[in-house]
Amino acid sequence: MSTTEAQAVEAFESGPPIILAPGPRTTDRTAPNPDDVWDLPYGTAWVYHGEGNRQLTRPVLIADGFSSGPTDLALTWELLEHGPYPLLSELRRRGRDVVLVGYHERSASILQNAETVMAAVIETIDRRVGDHPPAVGGFSMGGLVTRYALAKMETAGIEHQAQLYYSWDSPHTGAWIPVALQAFAHYVKKLNPGFSDQINSPAAQELLSQHIANWDDKPAPSERRRAFLRALEEVGNWPRSRELRLIALANGPGTGAGNGIRPGVDALTGEGIAVSGTKLRTQAEGESQLVANLRVVTTPNREVRTNGLPDIDGAPGGTLAGFGILADTLNALPPLAGFRVSNPVREHCFVPAVSAIALREPDTHDDLYTPIGDDELEETPFHAVKLASQSDTHTLVTEELATWFLDQLP
Protein backbone atom coordinates (compact mmCIF):
# COMPACT_ATOMS: atom_id res chain seq x y z
CA MET A 1 0.00 0.00 0.00
CA SER A 2 1.49 3.36 -1.01
CA THR A 3 1.72 6.35 1.31
CA THR A 4 -0.55 9.28 0.50
CA GLU A 5 0.50 12.90 0.90
CA ALA A 6 -1.91 13.30 3.81
CA GLN A 7 -0.37 10.28 5.56
CA ALA A 8 3.12 11.63 4.90
CA VAL A 9 2.22 15.02 6.38
CA GLU A 10 0.74 13.29 9.45
CA ALA A 11 3.88 11.18 9.83
CA PHE A 12 6.17 14.22 9.68
CA GLU A 13 4.01 16.09 12.18
CA SER A 14 4.28 13.18 14.62
CA GLY A 15 8.07 13.24 14.64
CA PRO A 16 10.77 15.70 15.69
CA PRO A 17 11.70 18.53 13.32
CA ILE A 18 14.62 18.08 10.94
CA ILE A 19 17.17 20.64 12.14
CA LEU A 20 20.72 20.71 10.83
CA ALA A 21 22.68 21.84 13.87
CA PRO A 22 24.72 20.30 16.68
CA GLY A 23 22.28 18.66 19.05
CA PRO A 24 22.17 17.54 22.69
CA ARG A 25 24.50 14.90 23.96
CA THR A 26 23.07 12.05 26.00
CA THR A 27 23.48 13.24 29.57
CA ASP A 28 21.28 13.71 32.60
CA ARG A 29 23.44 16.55 33.90
CA THR A 30 21.57 19.85 33.78
CA ALA A 31 22.91 23.38 33.67
CA PRO A 32 23.18 25.09 37.07
CA ASN A 33 20.99 28.08 37.73
CA PRO A 34 22.68 31.27 36.48
CA ASP A 35 23.76 33.96 38.92
CA ASP A 36 21.99 36.53 36.78
CA VAL A 37 19.73 36.68 33.70
CA TRP A 38 19.72 39.62 31.32
CA ASP A 39 16.80 40.42 29.07
CA LEU A 40 18.32 41.84 25.87
CA PRO A 41 17.02 43.07 22.51
CA TYR A 42 16.25 39.93 20.47
CA GLY A 43 17.83 37.70 23.08
CA THR A 44 18.87 36.70 26.59
CA ALA A 45 22.09 36.18 28.54
CA TRP A 46 22.85 33.83 31.42
CA VAL A 47 25.65 34.97 33.71
CA TYR A 48 27.80 32.68 35.83
CA HIS A 49 30.34 34.22 38.20
CA GLY A 50 33.82 32.80 38.40
CA GLU A 51 35.16 31.25 41.58
CA GLY A 52 35.73 33.94 44.18
CA ASN A 53 33.70 36.53 42.30
CA ARG A 54 30.51 37.85 43.83
CA GLN A 55 29.96 40.21 40.92
CA LEU A 56 30.93 40.41 37.27
CA THR A 57 34.69 40.87 37.37
CA ARG A 58 36.57 39.11 34.53
CA PRO A 59 33.94 38.56 31.84
CA VAL A 60 34.07 36.15 28.90
CA LEU A 61 31.13 36.55 26.50
CA ILE A 62 30.16 33.45 24.49
CA ALA A 63 27.66 34.00 21.68
CA ASP A 64 25.49 31.15 20.40
CA GLY A 65 25.52 29.77 16.87
CA PHE A 66 23.00 28.77 14.19
CA SER A 67 19.92 26.59 14.45
CA SER A 68 16.14 27.07 14.30
CA GLY A 69 14.03 28.59 17.06
CA PRO A 70 15.17 30.29 20.26
CA THR A 71 18.49 29.53 21.90
CA ASP A 72 18.30 26.88 24.60
CA LEU A 73 21.01 28.15 26.93
CA ALA A 74 20.79 24.98 29.01
CA LEU A 75 21.76 23.06 25.87
CA THR A 76 24.53 25.58 25.18
CA TRP A 77 25.85 24.88 28.66
CA GLU A 78 25.68 21.12 28.05
CA LEU A 79 27.56 21.26 24.76
CA LEU A 80 30.34 23.46 26.13
CA GLU A 81 30.68 21.70 29.48
CA HIS A 82 29.94 18.00 29.05
CA GLY A 83 31.98 17.15 25.98
CA PRO A 84 35.63 16.06 25.92
CA TYR A 85 36.72 19.11 27.95
CA PRO A 86 34.73 21.02 30.62
CA LEU A 87 35.32 24.52 29.25
CA LEU A 88 32.82 26.45 31.39
CA SER A 89 33.85 25.02 34.74
CA GLU A 90 37.51 25.56 33.83
CA LEU A 91 36.82 29.19 32.94
CA ARG A 92 35.09 29.70 36.28
CA ARG A 93 37.83 27.84 38.17
CA ARG A 94 40.25 30.40 36.78
CA GLY A 95 38.12 33.27 38.07
CA ARG A 96 36.45 34.07 34.76
CA ASP A 97 32.80 35.09 34.62
CA VAL A 98 30.87 33.35 31.85
CA VAL A 99 28.21 35.30 29.93
CA LEU A 100 26.25 32.97 27.63
CA VAL A 101 24.43 35.01 24.98
CA GLY A 102 21.43 33.54 23.15
CA TYR A 103 18.86 34.77 20.66
CA HIS A 104 15.08 34.72 20.45
CA GLU A 105 15.50 33.28 16.93
CA ARG A 106 18.76 31.58 16.01
CA SER A 107 17.95 31.58 12.30
CA ALA A 108 17.29 35.34 12.17
CA SER A 109 19.72 37.59 10.34
CA ILE A 110 23.22 37.82 11.79
CA LEU A 111 22.74 41.60 11.74
CA GLN A 112 19.70 41.33 14.02
CA ASN A 113 21.37 38.97 16.47
CA ALA A 114 24.38 41.29 16.55
CA GLU A 115 22.06 43.77 18.30
CA THR A 116 21.78 41.22 21.12
CA VAL A 117 25.55 40.95 21.39
CA MET A 118 26.07 44.72 21.34
CA ALA A 119 23.57 45.08 24.18
CA ALA A 120 25.29 42.28 26.09
CA VAL A 121 28.67 43.99 25.74
CA ILE A 122 27.26 47.29 26.99
CA GLU A 123 25.53 45.50 29.88
CA THR A 124 28.80 43.76 30.73
CA ILE A 125 30.69 47.05 30.94
CA ASP A 126 27.95 48.68 33.01
CA ARG A 127 27.78 45.81 35.52
CA ARG A 128 31.47 44.93 35.72
CA VAL A 129 33.37 45.64 38.93
CA GLY A 130 36.86 46.89 38.19
CA ASP A 131 38.33 47.40 34.75
CA HIS A 132 39.32 43.94 33.54
CA PRO A 133 38.75 43.90 29.75
CA PRO A 134 36.10 41.55 28.35
CA ALA A 135 36.79 38.72 25.94
CA VAL A 136 34.07 38.62 23.29
CA GLY A 137 33.41 35.92 20.72
CA GLY A 138 31.39 32.87 19.91
CA PHE A 139 31.06 29.43 18.48
CA SER A 140 30.13 28.84 14.82
CA MET A 141 27.78 31.63 13.70
CA GLY A 142 28.41 33.28 17.07
CA GLY A 143 31.88 34.21 15.86
CA LEU A 144 30.36 36.10 12.93
CA VAL A 145 27.69 37.73 15.10
CA THR A 146 30.34 39.04 17.51
CA ARG A 147 32.71 40.02 14.69
CA TYR A 148 30.05 42.23 13.16
CA ALA A 149 28.85 43.53 16.56
CA LEU A 150 32.29 44.71 17.68
CA ALA A 151 33.09 46.22 14.29
CA LYS A 152 29.76 48.06 14.25
CA MET A 153 30.33 49.38 17.78
CA GLU A 154 33.71 50.75 16.72
CA THR A 155 32.20 52.35 13.60
CA ALA A 156 29.47 53.96 15.72
CA GLY A 157 31.95 55.20 18.33
CA ILE A 158 30.60 52.91 21.07
CA GLU A 159 33.25 51.55 23.44
CA HIS A 160 33.41 47.78 23.77
CA GLN A 161 36.65 47.73 25.85
CA ALA A 162 37.33 44.17 24.65
CA GLN A 163 40.95 43.09 24.42
CA LEU A 164 40.21 39.71 22.83
CA TYR A 165 37.89 38.72 20.00
CA TYR A 166 37.70 35.00 19.29
CA SER A 167 35.85 32.78 16.86
CA TRP A 168 35.55 29.02 17.34
CA ASP A 169 35.04 27.17 14.04
CA SER A 170 33.19 30.12 12.56
CA PRO A 171 32.58 30.14 8.78
CA HIS A 172 34.26 33.43 7.87
CA THR A 173 34.44 32.56 4.17
CA GLY A 174 31.34 30.38 4.15
CA ALA A 175 29.76 27.23 5.56
CA TRP A 176 28.64 24.18 3.56
CA ILE A 177 25.43 22.17 3.56
CA PRO A 178 25.50 19.56 0.75
CA VAL A 179 23.36 20.51 -2.23
CA ALA A 180 21.80 17.05 -1.95
CA LEU A 181 20.47 17.86 1.53
CA GLN A 182 19.27 21.31 0.51
CA ALA A 183 17.47 19.84 -2.51
CA PHE A 184 15.76 17.19 -0.38
CA ALA A 185 14.63 19.84 2.10
CA HIS A 186 12.95 21.87 -0.62
CA TYR A 187 11.57 18.81 -2.40
CA VAL A 188 9.59 17.75 0.69
CA LYS A 189 8.48 21.29 1.57
CA LYS A 190 4.84 20.49 0.84
CA LEU A 191 5.02 17.65 3.37
CA ASN A 192 7.40 19.21 5.89
CA PRO A 193 8.05 22.95 5.44
CA GLY A 194 10.28 23.35 8.50
CA PHE A 195 13.38 21.77 6.93
CA SER A 196 13.16 24.00 3.85
CA ASP A 197 12.45 27.03 6.03
CA GLN A 198 15.69 26.45 7.92
CA ILE A 199 17.73 26.22 4.71
CA ASN A 200 16.06 29.40 3.41
CA SER A 201 16.26 31.29 6.71
CA PRO A 202 18.12 34.62 6.77
CA ALA A 203 21.03 33.27 8.82
CA ALA A 204 21.46 30.13 6.70
CA GLN A 205 21.60 32.18 3.53
CA GLU A 206 24.14 34.55 5.09
CA LEU A 207 26.33 31.66 6.23
CA LEU A 208 26.30 29.29 3.26
CA SER A 209 28.87 29.66 0.50
CA GLN A 210 26.49 27.82 -1.86
CA HIS A 211 22.71 27.98 -1.47
CA ILE A 212 19.62 26.87 -3.35
CA ALA A 213 16.15 28.21 -2.58
CA ASN A 214 14.33 25.51 -4.57
CA TRP A 215 15.29 21.92 -5.29
CA ASP A 216 16.14 22.57 -8.95
CA ASP A 217 18.06 25.86 -8.49
CA LYS A 218 21.72 26.25 -9.40
CA PRO A 219 23.93 26.58 -6.31
CA ALA A 220 25.35 30.07 -5.75
CA PRO A 221 25.88 32.58 -2.95
CA SER A 222 22.46 34.02 -2.16
CA GLU A 223 21.66 37.70 -2.36
CA ARG A 224 21.29 37.69 1.42
CA ARG A 225 24.89 36.49 1.73
CA ARG A 226 26.07 39.21 -0.62
CA ALA A 227 24.16 41.78 1.43
CA PHE A 228 25.72 40.48 4.64
CA LEU A 229 29.22 40.72 3.17
CA ARG A 230 28.46 44.30 2.10
CA ALA A 231 27.28 45.07 5.64
CA LEU A 232 30.58 43.73 6.97
CA GLU A 233 32.49 45.94 4.54
CA GLU A 234 30.55 48.97 5.74
CA VAL A 235 31.89 48.45 9.27
CA GLY A 236 35.43 47.68 8.16
CA ASN A 237 35.05 43.88 7.94
CA TRP A 238 36.76 43.31 11.31
CA PRO A 239 36.98 45.08 14.66
CA ARG A 240 40.24 47.03 14.62
CA SER A 241 40.66 48.57 18.06
CA ARG A 242 44.36 49.01 18.83
CA GLU A 243 44.06 47.10 22.10
CA LEU A 244 42.10 44.20 20.57
CA ARG A 245 43.67 40.85 19.66
CA LEU A 246 41.84 38.66 17.13
CA ILE A 247 42.16 34.88 17.40
CA ALA A 248 40.50 31.95 15.64
CA LEU A 249 40.13 28.27 16.42
CA ALA A 250 39.31 25.62 13.81
CA ASN A 251 37.97 22.10 14.30
CA GLY A 252 39.91 21.04 11.21
CA PRO A 253 43.64 20.67 10.50
CA GLY A 254 45.99 22.72 8.39
CA THR A 255 47.72 19.69 6.91
CA GLY A 256 45.37 19.39 3.94
CA ALA A 257 44.32 15.90 5.07
CA GLY A 258 40.62 15.30 4.43
CA ASN A 259 38.15 13.75 6.84
CA GLY A 260 37.93 10.45 4.99
CA ILE A 261 34.58 10.99 3.26
CA ARG A 262 34.87 9.99 -0.38
CA PRO A 263 33.28 12.08 -3.14
CA GLY A 264 30.47 10.79 -5.30
CA VAL A 265 29.28 7.97 -3.03
CA ASP A 266 25.85 7.18 -1.63
CA ALA A 267 25.23 8.89 1.69
CA LEU A 268 21.50 8.20 2.14
CA THR A 269 19.30 5.77 0.21
CA GLY A 270 15.53 5.37 0.45
CA GLU A 271 14.34 1.88 1.38
CA GLY A 272 10.76 2.51 2.45
CA ILE A 273 8.00 2.73 -0.11
CA ALA A 274 7.51 6.47 0.42
CA VAL A 275 11.13 7.24 -0.52
CA SER A 276 12.00 4.37 -2.81
CA GLY A 277 14.19 5.88 -5.53
CA THR A 278 15.59 8.64 -3.34
CA LYS A 279 19.38 8.73 -3.16
CA LEU A 280 21.59 11.49 -1.76
CA ARG A 281 25.28 11.44 -2.68
CA THR A 282 28.41 13.18 -1.43
CA GLN A 283 29.66 16.07 -3.52
CA ALA A 284 32.14 15.33 -6.31
CA GLU A 285 34.17 17.66 -8.52
CA GLY A 286 33.45 18.30 -12.17
CA GLU A 287 30.56 18.95 -14.49
CA SER A 288 27.12 17.34 -14.41
CA GLN A 289 27.78 15.56 -11.11
CA LEU A 290 24.75 13.63 -9.86
CA VAL A 291 24.20 14.54 -6.21
CA ALA A 292 20.58 13.47 -5.70
CA ASN A 293 17.75 11.37 -7.01
CA LEU A 294 14.51 12.54 -5.41
CA ARG A 295 11.26 10.61 -5.12
CA VAL A 296 8.99 11.17 -2.16
CA VAL A 297 5.49 9.66 -1.88
CA THR A 298 3.77 10.13 -5.25
CA THR A 299 6.16 12.51 -6.98
CA PRO A 300 8.22 11.29 -9.96
CA ASN A 301 11.95 10.71 -9.64
CA ARG A 302 13.98 13.87 -10.22
CA GLU A 303 17.73 14.31 -10.67
CA VAL A 304 19.84 17.05 -9.13
CA ARG A 305 23.21 17.73 -10.73
CA THR A 306 25.94 20.26 -9.99
CA ASN A 307 28.65 21.88 -12.05
CA GLY A 308 32.01 23.20 -10.95
CA LEU A 309 31.75 22.52 -7.22
CA PRO A 310 34.69 21.06 -5.26
CA ASP A 311 34.69 17.75 -3.36
CA ILE A 312 33.95 19.66 -0.18
CA ASP A 313 32.15 17.00 1.89
CA GLY A 314 35.50 15.36 2.60
CA ALA A 315 37.50 18.55 3.11
CA PRO A 316 39.52 19.26 6.26
CA GLY A 317 37.30 21.10 8.72
CA GLY A 318 34.60 20.87 11.36
CA THR A 319 32.04 18.22 10.48
CA LEU A 320 28.26 18.08 10.88
CA ALA A 321 26.20 14.88 10.80
CA GLY A 322 23.80 16.40 8.28
CA PHE A 323 23.06 13.17 6.40
CA GLY A 324 22.78 11.37 9.74
CA ILE A 325 20.38 13.93 11.23
CA LEU A 326 18.06 13.53 8.25
CA ALA A 327 18.33 9.72 8.30
CA ASP A 328 17.67 9.47 12.04
CA THR A 329 14.60 11.70 11.74
CA LEU A 330 13.16 9.77 8.81
CA ASN A 331 13.83 6.40 10.48
CA ALA A 332 12.08 7.62 13.64
CA LEU A 333 8.82 8.20 11.75
CA PRO A 334 6.09 5.54 12.07
CA PRO A 335 7.23 2.44 10.10
CA LEU A 336 3.99 2.23 8.13
CA ALA A 337 4.68 5.70 6.69
CA GLY A 338 7.38 4.17 4.52
CA PHE A 339 10.26 6.60 5.13
CA ARG A 340 12.90 4.03 6.06
CA VAL A 341 16.39 4.91 4.74
CA SER A 342 19.92 3.52 4.92
CA ASN A 343 22.71 5.91 5.80
CA PRO A 344 26.24 4.84 4.80
CA VAL A 345 27.70 8.34 5.29
CA ARG A 346 26.50 10.39 8.27
CA GLU A 347 28.80 13.41 8.24
CA HIS A 348 30.09 16.06 5.87
CA CYS A 349 32.42 19.00 6.18
CA PHE A 350 30.45 21.96 7.51
CA VAL A 351 33.11 24.62 8.16
CA PRO A 352 36.28 24.10 6.11
CA ALA A 353 39.46 24.82 8.06
CA VAL A 354 40.39 27.56 5.57
CA SER A 355 37.04 29.25 6.28
CA ALA A 356 37.43 29.06 10.07
CA ILE A 357 40.67 31.07 9.83
CA ALA A 358 39.43 33.36 7.02
CA LEU A 359 42.28 32.32 4.74
CA ARG A 360 40.65 31.19 1.48
CA GLU A 361 37.26 31.02 -0.18
CA PRO A 362 36.16 27.34 -0.34
CA ASP A 363 35.78 27.42 -4.13
CA THR A 364 38.10 24.70 -5.46
CA HIS A 365 39.74 21.45 -4.42
CA ASP A 366 43.07 23.24 -4.05
CA ASP A 367 41.51 25.96 -1.89
CA LEU A 368 40.28 23.29 0.51
CA TYR A 369 43.03 20.67 0.50
CA THR A 370 46.30 22.57 -0.01
CA PRO A 371 48.26 22.46 3.27
CA ILE A 372 48.34 25.75 5.16
CA GLY A 373 51.89 27.02 5.51
CA ASP A 374 53.24 29.27 8.23
CA ASP A 375 53.70 32.07 5.71
CA GLU A 376 50.02 31.86 4.79
CA LEU A 377 48.97 32.20 8.41
CA GLU A 378 50.48 35.68 8.29
CA GLU A 379 47.87 36.53 5.63
CA THR A 380 44.87 35.90 7.88
CA PRO A 381 43.25 38.81 9.76
CA PHE A 382 44.05 37.09 13.06
CA HIS A 383 46.90 37.69 15.45
CA ALA A 384 46.92 33.97 16.27
CA VAL A 385 45.10 30.84 15.12
CA LYS A 386 44.82 27.30 16.42
CA LEU A 387 44.06 24.49 13.98
CA ALA A 388 43.05 21.05 15.23
CA SER A 389 45.28 18.06 14.57
CA GLN A 390 42.41 16.32 12.73
CA SER A 391 38.89 17.01 11.51
CA ASP A 392 36.53 16.90 14.48
CA THR A 393 32.84 17.58 15.04
CA HIS A 394 32.00 21.22 14.38
CA THR A 395 32.59 23.37 17.53
CA LEU A 396 33.66 20.33 19.57
CA VAL A 397 35.43 21.54 22.73
CA THR A 398 38.54 19.38 22.74
CA GLU A 399 41.35 19.67 25.27
CA GLU A 400 43.71 20.57 22.43
CA LEU A 401 41.71 23.64 21.43
CA ALA A 402 40.33 24.61 24.84
CA THR A 403 43.65 24.78 26.66
CA TRP A 404 45.09 26.98 23.91
CA PHE A 405 42.02 29.22 24.09
CA LEU A 406 42.26 29.60 27.86
CA ASP A 407 45.87 30.71 27.55
CA GLN A 408 44.86 33.53 25.17
CA LEU A 409 42.43 35.23 27.54
CA PRO A 410 43.35 38.72 28.77
Side-chain angles (χ1 to χ4, degrees), residues 38-46 61-73 76 99-120 136-149 166 170 203 207:
W38 301 344
D39 185 21
L40 304 169
Y42 307 113
T44 306
W46 285 6
L61 276 70
I62 302 175
D64 191 24
F66 172 72
S67 187
S68 293
T71 295
D72 179 352
L73 288 174
T76 302
V99 181
L100 299 179
V101 182
Y103 323 115
H104 293 331
E105 178 49 63
R106 299 173 78 188
S107 67
S109 171
I110 292 170
L111 306 184
Q112 174 177 300
N113 285 330
E115 298 291 328
T116 306
V117 167
M118 288 188 283
V136 180
F139 286 69
S140 190
M141 184 185 75
L144 291 179
V145 175
T146 49
R147 169 184 163 185
Y148 178 80
Y166 67 92
S170 300
L207 292 170

Side-chain angles (χ1 to χ4, degrees), residues 5 10 18 70 132 159 193 212 237 252 264 270 278 319 347 376 408:
E5 286 191 2
E10 183 179 356
I18 304 169
H132 193 89
E159 284 195 19
I212 57 174
N237 268 314
T278 286
T319 61
E347 296 182 324
E376 280 192 293
Q408 306 302 309

